[in-house]
Amino acid sequence: IINIVNRYKIKFLGNFFIISDIGLIKNLKEFIPSLVSGTNLKKDLIIILILISILFLLFKKLFNIKNPPTKIRLLLFIISVFVVVFPILFPTPFNQILQKCKIETYIPNPIDNCKVNGILFCFYNDFKNINNPPPKDYTQAKINQIYSELKDLTSSREVLEQSERGGFSPNIIVIMSEAFWDVTNLTDVKYSDDPIKNVRKDIKSTFKSPSFGGGTANIEFELLTGLSNFYLKGTTPYSQVVKKTLPTLFTLFKNQGYLNTTIHPFFASMYNRKTVYKNFGLDNFISIENMTDYKTAGPYVSDDSFNKEIIKQLKSTDQQQLIFAISMQNHVTFKANRYSEHPITFKSSLNSNDQEILQSYVDGINLTDHSYAFLKQELSKSKKPTIIFFFGDHLTFLDSNYNIYKETGFNINDENKKRHTPLAVWSNYKTDINLPQNISPNFLSLEVLKSANITPKYQFSYLNSLISSGTVLNQKLPNKFTSEQLKDYELIQYDLIFGKQYSLKLVKP
């Protein structure tokens, strides 16, 4: 049963089954039918039930074992409970035992973790994340010290930035486009035309994603909070970490009079978003349950309908808005003829099945590219000053064995290439937005604040102090930060998520 749950969770969400998923079972009925449509789920369940029944009968017949004495059963029960709770109550000794056994558990990609250690061990190993012991040196005095030093370093910079910005407040639209990527990076594929020619005109930077193949909410977490998966050891923030109110982009924008809206054309319960957004201070969440008259492209809501929802929300009020929008159109899986038309054709050495999978992906991102052009066209007619940040959340699983990547000239083992997607910026008024050449989602949050002329506060102010050293913090990539910078960042993050939130007392709203 755990195996079949993992099969489908990995296939659709890029993550394995973890203990905190049990608390989300009540939400399954909302989005599972959509995800598994066209799969063999019913067939798989029937096979599992038959196998369990056969095994039960065989064991009952072959092993005629009498019930052991009550004392033995009680002892075995106590031992079993101890084994289960050991990682929860004693995470440090548990990790020490694993190290002595040379079991590597800190593997950021959940899929690779399962391949190395097995799905049952991954499930068991996740128990240690239920408790989060504080890092060394975590005290109120240390947090006070970090922010005190930070104030001295950044006060003069903030005064200068505020005078340069002058207080102009445009609408900000941040679009995290599902699985959008520059497919021309497959160098051995020859296309009839550029599949992303509209987006390409506006590419300003390379987005460095913390995920590959899935985990959209993990990227979202970094962007909205300014915190990092770098310190979370493979956990899923939305379902395992975010349990209390904390300052986010929504907080800072709301303090400046903005209306905050998230648009996601899928079920609100996915990734526990309803609860998380409440903790993030979001004003307005538009999910598929709130959308009407939308059209699909493939199995999901089309990017055309998605962008029309953005325009509709932008027109709904004269109040300045931050709209954070997460698309669904290009979500896995890419079956043959997912779309009826193929405006971009290509030549490759792929077999016919892989060729059809890649064609479906190319069709999808080309539709996204046209939808992006449509959004720009509509916003060009508006008198409301508006800036768009548009980027792909991660590369996708085109096939289970990465064969398509390997056969088309893309080095899937190169973590640097594997982690980057295009980041485009556009505005409907004259502005000059320059971004770092490479940027992680947490550092992109600073650029979003800067574009709206909002001074970073809370954890964002610490993040702002790091940009002179670097703008990429990723589990799989080298970084340019000192050990002291990384340690202080970890303490600030722990304080907000797991700790006593000492830092909130140090910042005026």
Side-chain angles (χ1 to χ4, degrees), residues 449-481:
L449 289 169
K450 182 180 177 181
S451 68
N453 303 303
I454 297 174
T455 301
K457 293 183 179 180
Y458 304 104
Q459 68 272 24
F460 298 99
S461 62
Y462 181 78
L463 198 63
N464 197 36
S465 73
L466 299 180
I467 56 176
S468 58
S469 298
T471 53
V472 174
L473 185 60
N474 190 298
Q475 295 164 330
K476 286 289 190 176
L477 302 175
N479 66 73
K480 299 179 181 180
F481 306 107

Side-chain angles (χ1 to χ4, degrees), residues 1 12 16 69 87 107 138 145-146 194 220 233 241 265 269 292 300 309 338 345 371 388 442 459:
I1 291 172
F12 293 112
F16 57 84
I107 304 174
Y138 174 64
Q145 178 190 337
I146 294 171
D194 185 356
E220 185 180 335
K233 301 179 181 179
V241 170
S269 57
T292 57
Y300 302 106
E309 195 69 35
R338 177 167 171 166
T345 57
S371 299
I388 298 174
N442 52 338
Q459 68 272 24

Side-chain angles (χ1 to χ4, degrees), residues 303-355:
D303 277 359
D304 271 350
S305 293
F306 169 69
N307 284 333
K308 287 176 182 176
E309 195 69 35
I310 293 174
I311 295 167
K312 178 182 174 183
Q313 176 59 32
L314 199 62
K315 291 179 177 179
S316 67
T317 177
D318 290 330
Q319 185 179 359
Q320 283 97 344
Q321 296 190 66
L322 167 64
I323 299 177
F324 175 57
I326 316 153
S327 73
M328 274 298 293
Q329 178 186 282
N330 296 317
H331 202 284
V332 292
T333 57
F334 302 98
K335 296 182 180 179
N337 297 312
R338 177 167 171 166
Y339 307 99
S340 57
E341 297 180 0
H342 313 301
I344 305 291
T345 57
F346 58 88
K347 294 180 181 179
S348 74
S349 59
L350 294 170
N351 61 50
S352 58
N353 182 62
D354 288 347
Q355 182 98 357

Side-chain angles (χ1 to χ4, degrees), residues 21 25 88 144 158 183 248 255 295 298 349 355 415 433 447 467 483 492 497:
D21 288 339
I25 288 176
I88 303 172
N144 292 350
E158 288 178 359
V183 77
T248 64
N255 289 345
K295 295 181 180 179
S349 59
Q355 182 98 357
E415 288 294 340
I433 297 177
E447 300 301 326
I467 56 176
S483 58
I492 287 172
I497 297 176

